[in-house]
């Protein structure tokens, strides 16, 4: 086991710290340093990851503090969590950024390791709760970039309270991160989808009268 001190003192810099531990108070101090920027840009704070709901108790405490400070709060989630966890943060979240990768459960489990039934049930419940939801679809060539895959997602979300869809073209930024944690990168050699492909998929989603953005 490598200690934090060993990472900081590694002479060759072969070991690095990924992330940092914060208390609620310390993190709030960092967040409030940018209050002037939030007010000028009409933006706010986004909690992402990883999966922020894996630290649900901490997330709840920090977003309560953010709302008490009149900050706009966004939570970026895979939706793979209990409804109880989501329900606990509902009053303090302005927008949910919600990942949907596949409608087909077998494919979802093949590429992510988990079934998507809970994910689809949770987004339906968020919609029924009247929450603002941006659906984010990572578009990965030879995995879920077919027109059929996008149509299946659209047919599911068209009757939900979806404010916007973001089509996120695959990129290779994660390759170096996998190397750092000594894990095999299973999408090695995958190329970014073409601009033409992304425009075609965008037109499909817009055909369902859903605001659609490439990237974001």
């Amino acid at each position: 086991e490598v200690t934090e001190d060993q990472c900081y003192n590694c002479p060759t810099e072969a070991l690095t710290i990924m992330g940092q531990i914060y208390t609620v108070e310390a993190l709030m101090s960092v967040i409030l340093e940018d209050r002037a920027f939030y007010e000028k840009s009409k933006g706010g704070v986004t909690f992402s990851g990883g999966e922020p709901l894996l630290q649900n108790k901490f997330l709840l405490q920090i977003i309560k503090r953010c709302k008490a400070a009149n900050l706009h709060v966004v939570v970026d989630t895979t939706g793979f969590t209990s409804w109880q966890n989501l329900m606990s943060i509902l009053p303090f979240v302005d927008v949910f950024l919600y990942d949907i990768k596949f409608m087909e459960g077998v494919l979802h489990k093949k590429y992510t390791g988990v079934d998507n039934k809970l994910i689809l049930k949770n987004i339906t419940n968020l919609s029924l709760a009247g929450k603002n939801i941006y659906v984010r679809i990572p578009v990965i060539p030879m995995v879920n970039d077919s027109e059929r895959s996008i149509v299946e997602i659209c047919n599911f979300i068209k009757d939900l309270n979806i404010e916007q869809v973001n089509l996120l073209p695959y990129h290779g930024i994660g390759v170096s991160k996998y190397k750092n944690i000594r894990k095999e990168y299973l999408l090695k050699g995958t190329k970014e989808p073409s601009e033409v492909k992304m425009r075609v998929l965008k037109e499909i989603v817009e055909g369902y009268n859903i605001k659609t953005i490439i990237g974001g």
Side-chain angles (χ1 to χ4, degrees):
E1 181 179 348
V2 179
T3 68
E4 187 171 320
D5 286 341
Q6 286 173 320
C7 288
Y8 281 125
N9 298 320
C10 182
T12 63
E13 297 185 348
L15 299 173
T16 58
I17 292 289
M18 303 293 288
Q20 188 169 336
I21 296 174
Y22 283 95
T23 64
V24 171
E25 291 294 336
L27 185 55
M28 252 338 268
S29 295
V30 173
I31 289 170
L32 291 176
E33 286 177 1
D34 290 325
R35 179 189 280 278
F37 173 75
Y38 306 145
E39 293 173 351
K40 184 176 181 179
S41 66
K42 297 183 180 179
V45 183
T46 299
F47 295 92
S48 184
E51 173 53 66
L53 282 157
L54 285 174
Q55 301 180 60
N56 185 64
K57 292 181 179 178
F58 185 89
L59 178 66
L60 178 58
Q61 292 180 62
I62 195 69
I63 63 175
K64 279 183 176 180
R65 291 288 299 275
C66 286
K67 294 312 294 179
N70 294 316
L71 299 179
H72 187 271
V73 173
V74 176
V75 171
D76 184 357
T77 179
T78 64
F80 190 69
T81 187
S82 70
W83 175 243
Q84 183 178 3
N85 282 347
L86 281 168
M87 192 165 56
S88 69
I89 67 173
L90 284 186
F92 313 103
V93 179
D94 296 291
V95 176
F96 282 92
L97 306 181
Y98 202 102
D99 287 6
I100 295 184
K101 301 174 180 70
F102 297 96
M103 288 304 300
E104 171 56 55
V106 173
L107 286 176
H108 195 279
K109 188 164 187 177
K110 175 183 176 181
Y111 286 101
T112 71
V114 298
D115 190 83
N116 63 348
K117 290 180 181 178
L118 177 61
I119 293 167
L120 300 180
K121 182 178 180 180
N122 280 337
I123 193 173
T124 301
N125 286 338
L126 284 178
S127 176
L128 290 172
K131 302 305 297 185
N132 295 325
I133 306 167
Y134 288 17
V135 167
R136 293 157 64 84
I137 306 173
V139 178
I140 306 172
M142 306 304 293
V143 176
N144 71 338
D145 68 332
S146 70
E147 295 181 22
R148 176 184 174 182
S149 181
I150 300 302
V151 166
E152 288 175 346
I153 293 173
C154 288
N155 283 332
F156 174 74
I157 67 174
K158 63 184 175 66
D159 296 322
L160 301 180
N161 180 42
I162 305 302
E163 189 169 330
Q164 177 175 302
V165 166
N166 289 76
L167 296 171
L168 309 177
Y170 166 84
H171 56 70
I173 293 175
V175 175
S176 60
K177 294 181 179 179
Y178 272 71
K179 185 178 179 180
N180 286 341
I181 62 175
R182 300 178 183 179
K183 290 190 68 173
E184 181 184 4
Y185 189 77
L186 299 179
L187 294 176
K188 194 179 300 180
T190 301
K191 297 181 179 179
E192 296 181 7
S194 69
E195 291 184 9
V196 172
K197 164 67 79 171
M198 295 304 298
R199 285 199 299 270
V200 168
L201 300 183
K202 181 174 185 284
E203 288 174 4
I204 290 174
V205 184
E206 288 176 333
Y208 287 80
N209 295 316
I210 301 172
K211 180 182 178 182
T212 312
I213 293 176
I214 296 174

